[in-house]
Amino acid sequence: MSKIFPKSANKLPLQIVIYLGVLSVVATGAVTYYMTPKYTRVGYAPIQPVPFSHSKHVREVGLDCRYCHNFEDRSPHSNVPTAQTCMKCHDQIRTTSPDLAIVRDSYTTGRPVPWVQVHAVPDYVYFNHSIHINRGISCVECHGQVNDMDVVTHMKPLSMGFCLDCHRAPEEHVRQPKDIFNLDSQTIAATQGIAAGKKFVHDWAITPPQSCSGCHR
């Protein structure tokens, strides 16, 4: 009787195992490299229900970050301004603009404006805004040059590697307290040298965690 399978078929199970192993390694590497905030979030600039230009409000009007985000230096989370905050100005400026209809409706009804969140970290990541702000880390370090943006765009990767780069060398990123909310300011290291940055880190007892439990709780 003739053989149904050739002798070379005996190697087929081993070849399948090797193929699946190589495929798993390639797939894991691809997901690890590309499925990160650097590739999935950077450049994200969603259309908001109300057009809001940070460039106009900061550059032209001169508003400080804390006028709208007034808890970012006192709370773990940076708040989104309510319609009441907007209407402090817009009950007198552009009072009938169709662009602000949703804000006026929110102010009247109490329903929040459905802003689309731009910057986000996974639920398993603990991040405290106030700790960073009160230790010399400016908004621009994580959010980019927001004061020049007509549409808020996700500029920094906010990945684990991005955070660890700062935690391992905080002296390269810290600013003087008076410069925290000046998004055009430079770091201490840029203006006075790295030694001055290290002195600030020492004097302010800045010891950012590098262990897993520091950010994953």
Side-chain angles (χ1 to χ4, degrees):
M1 176 182 271
S2 61
K3 296 180 180 179
I4 298 177
F5 298 103
K7 188 174 181 180
S8 60
N10 294 332
K11 300 179 181 180
L12 190 60
L14 178 60
Q15 291 172 340
I16 292 175
V17 170
I18 294 175
Y19 173 79
L20 291 176
V22 171
L23 181 62
S24 298
V25 171
V26 171
T28 301
V31 169
T32 301
Y33 188 77
Y34 288 105
M35 293 302 290
T36 63
K38 180 177 180 180
Y39 290 94
T40 60
R41 299 288 296 183
V42 171
Y44 178 55
I47 297 175
Q48 298 290 351
V50 179
F52 182 90
S53 169
H54 276 77
S55 176
K56 175 175 286 294
H57 287 77
V58 178
R59 288 289 187 200
E60 295 184 29
V61 180
L63 290 181
D64 185 279
C65 307
R66 290 162 291 184
Y67 185 81
C68 297
H69 305 287
N70 53 355
F71 286 103
E72 64 183 359
D73 57 343
R74 292 174 283 167
S75 169
H77 305 285
S78 178
N79 64 301
V80 176
T82 62
Q84 285 81 356
T85 300
C86 302
M87 292 301 289
K88 288 178 181 178
C89 294
H90 288 292
D91 64 349
Q92 302 177 57
I93 302 170
R94 302 187 68 192
T95 57
T96 60
S97 170
D99 289 340
L100 298 171
I102 293 177
V103 174
R104 292 193 295 270
D105 178 71
S106 174
Y107 182 70
T108 303
T109 64
R111 291 192 297 265
V113 176
W115 298 109
V116 180
Q117 186 175 11
V118 179
H119 299 87
V121 293
D123 291 340
Y124 54 81
V125 176
Y126 174 77
F127 180 86
N128 187 310
H129 266 87
S130 63
I131 288 176
H132 290 76
I133 291 293
N134 291 306
R135 284 296 181 273
I137 299 300
S138 173
C139 319
V140 73
E141 290 292 324
C142 298
H143 297 293
Q145 209 75 34
V146 180
N147 54 329
D148 287 331
M149 297 181 188
D150 286 320
V151 177
V152 176
T153 303
H154 198 295
M155 298 299 295
K156 303 296 182 73
L158 304 186
S159 62
M160 185 169 71
F162 172 82
C163 296
L164 281 174
D165 285 344
C166 186
H167 280 213
R168 289 167 177 161
E171 64 274 5
E172 297 177 6
H173 303 275
V174 290
R175 284 171 168 77
Q176 294 289 353
K178 64 181 178 62
D179 293 330
I180 296 298
F181 299 102
N182 176 7
L183 303 192
D184 292 321
S185 66
Q186 298 294 313
T187 62
I188 295 174
T191 57
Q192 302 176 46
I194 196 68
K198 290 182 176 180
K199 183 178 185 303
F200 182 90
V201 169
H202 174 269
D203 293 346
W204 282 64
I206 299 174
T207 55
Q210 296 182 36
S211 63
C212 302
S213 60
C215 301
H216 303 291
R217 304 180 181 181

